[in-house]
Amino acid sequence: MNNIKQEDTNKYEQTFNERDQKFLEFEKPIQEVSEKISALKLADIGNPAIKSQIESLEKDREQLIKKIYSKLTTWETVQVARHPQRPHTLDFIKRIFTDFDELHGDRQFADDASIVGGLAYLNDKPVMIIGHEKGRDTEEKVRRNFGMPQPEGYRKAKRLMRLAEQFSMPIITFIDTAGAYPGIEGEERGQSEAIARNLAVMSELKTPILVVVTGEGGSGGALAISVGDHLSMLEYATYSVASPEACASIIWRSSDEAEKAAESMKVSASELKKINIIDEIIQEPLGGAHRNYDLTSEIIKKSLVKNLTSLQKLSNEKLIERRYQRLLKIGT
Amino acid sequence: MNWLTRLIPTIGTSKSKSTVPDGLWSSCPACESVLYAPELEKSLFVCPKCDHHLRIGARKRLEMFLDGGAYKEIAADLITKDPLKFKDTKNYTNRVKDAIAASGENEAIVIASGKLESMPVIVAAFEFRFMGGSMGGVVGEKFVMGVEEAIKTKRPFVCFATSGGARMQESMISLMQMAKTSAALQKLKAQNLPYISVMIDPIYGGVSASLAMLGDINIAEPDALVGFAGRRVIEQTVRVDLPDDFQKSEFLLDKGAVDMIVHRKNLRLKVHALLSKLYKQK
């Protein structure tokens, strides 16, 4: 992986091992079993009695995960989408593509690290990748503004999309943001215009665009890089017009009603598939993407390859007309 | 919920300002001068004392803008359903009913075909009294129908936007209207038909970050507030006091977001003059 800071590279090589795993509130029962397993593993694993106890507990844990994850509430899904250990764009780039060259800057003002983009191969085919990146540790999160782009982030994305179009390369975007950053500088530099312009440009870009919502699809800040020909969501990702907290404070005048807002807005992949906003739900490994980066990436890769192959059969003209017609159907 | 809560852009709120009241006498929301209705009508609802531009409804806007106040409405009958069965303190269908009663409009936008100084034009005007001018599926659909009519009849397109943003009660359907309206405007552009966006106080969120900012020429009325995130959200996020003129028309002009600020009394002639330069009537 070129052009990415060395410490970032190392970070995105690893995944979280069992001992560092963070558990969500509703995962308490899973945590208890996991702690028991860890404790036993510290003891003598050579001892066959302990070994079989571990194996039995691991089976219990799997059943427990299956049970809990088979009926997540909308609010629990929101928490999984925001899980601190959820794989990010750079984790997926590392695992799905080869020979990634990150490209920087909007050529006008700055490089916004909350959106990463660049060239890579998907099974030997060159593609342009663009995605939100929230960052992993504190220093990186701050540098990447927690994945909340400024206008220059969207303008960088637009530049890279034009580049992809020029060289007939498909575009793959990964969506994971709480939203575009609400700040003074962003307003001064035209946050609204930057988002609006991307929507207009993407609607007529002469190359296939595949969008994968991997974590939080937060409002216009997510939409600004997700107008495309195939829109998929990871099983526990969310996508909505505003964050549940923001919606709650608007409708219920209290962000404490976020849980209700999440349900009412139908933020989950399964709900959005029902109303035809998205094309595909990408199944996550047992217990969510954060439990298995490699497998999640493999599943996403399969979906990308399959859908890209079918989209590439269309002429650019047909592709753009199809993209427009898909948008027209929404809300009629 | 947590610190993130404060960082999320607010879409759909705006401080309430009184719209033009029905009575004969009222007061200016800015300078509190007493306003006399017939006089106000003559001044196009601009305060004669302080020049404050009062909020006006979509239909009043169209009457003021188009020749003889005459126009043919497009897609007048489209009414919003409740696609998500949105659960709220009040159900969405009832909110829409109340909005229809309060505004006298079927939705938060009116699309008109008419003439501006004899030039045939298609005009979209947002109705702020209808759920804060928020954009749901029907608003997006009507806007696109207007743009398509402009393409079909080879006419310029003008939009008077005033909106709190995307409509929460239709969540993703609302959000997607941003993409849908922007895509339609790109089709208009491909036909070399001009689009003039006139920004009316206030515009935020999903409407600011789509159709309002995409004018070939962007015009703001004086003292309009236009931005992506609301002032309160930004103040809570960055924890500084914002200057008084933040996100106001002068600010927008200064930062390069709009081409010009035009007083309401000059608006129709200015828009016509601009269209005359951009567009050769066929």
Side-chain angles (χ1 to χ4, degrees), chain A residues 182 187 192 250 264 266 332, chain B residues 7 11 84 87 141 208 229 247:
Chain A
E187 295 291 329
S192 286
I250 291 165
S264 291
K266 311 261 191 293
T332 54
Chain B
L7 303 183
I11 302 178
L84 300 186
K87 275 182 249 135
E141 176 70 7
S208 169
Q247 295 179 327

Side-chain angles (χ1 to χ4, degrees), chain A residues 161-177:
Chain A
M161 291 190 270
R162 285 289 190 205
L163 192 65
E165 179 184 47
Q166 191 185 342
F167 295 99
S168 305
M169 243 180 254
I171 297 164
I172 295 163
T173 70
F174 293 102
I175 307 306
D176 186 17
T177 183

Side-chain angles (χ1 to χ4, degrees), chain A residues 169-229:
Chain A
M169 243 180 254
I171 297 164
I172 295 163
T173 70
F174 293 102
I175 307 306
D176 186 17
T177 183
Y181 186 70
I184 298 171
E185 296 84 359
E187 295 291 329
E188 288 176 339
R189 295 196 291 272
Q191 187 72 286
S192 286
E193 192 275 346
I195 294 170
R197 193 65 58 193
N198 278 18
L199 302 179
V201 165
M202 291 181 90
S203 75
E204 51 144 36
L205 215 58
K206 296 180 194 66
T207 193
I209 305 171
L210 288 91
V211 181
V212 189
V213 184
T214 61
E216 279 182 281
S219 191
L223 184 69
I225 56 168
S226 39
V227 180
D229 305 301

Side-chain angles (χ1 to χ4, degrees), chain A residues 148 182 184 187-188 192 196 200 204 219 223 241 243 245 250-252 264 266 321 324 327-328 330-332, chain B residues 5 7-8 11 84 87-88 137 141 148 169 171 175 177 180 186-187 208-210 227-229 242 247 255:
Chain A
M148 290 182 287
I184 298 171
E187 295 291 329
E188 288 176 339
S192 286
E204 51 144 36
S219 191
L223 184 69
V241 68
S243 73
E245 289 82 0
I250 291 165
I251 302 263
W252 285 269
S264 291
K266 311 261 191 293
E321 187 51 29
Y324 186 57
L327 285 174
L328 285 195
I330 303 173
T332 54
Chain B
T5 317
L7 303 183
I8 313 302
I11 302 178
L84 300 186
K87 275 182 249 135
D88 179 350
E141 176 70 7
E148 288 186 333
Q169 291 88 343
S171 190
L175 191 73
Q177 301 311 309
K180 176 168 157 177
Q186 203 69 4
K187 294 253 171 199
S208 169
S210 64
F228 178 67
L242 299 170
Q247 295 179 327
K255 302 300 173 193

Side-chain angles (χ1 to χ4, degrees), chain B residues 38 72 84 136 212 240 243 257:
Chain B
K72 198 180 114 228
L84 300 186
V240 292

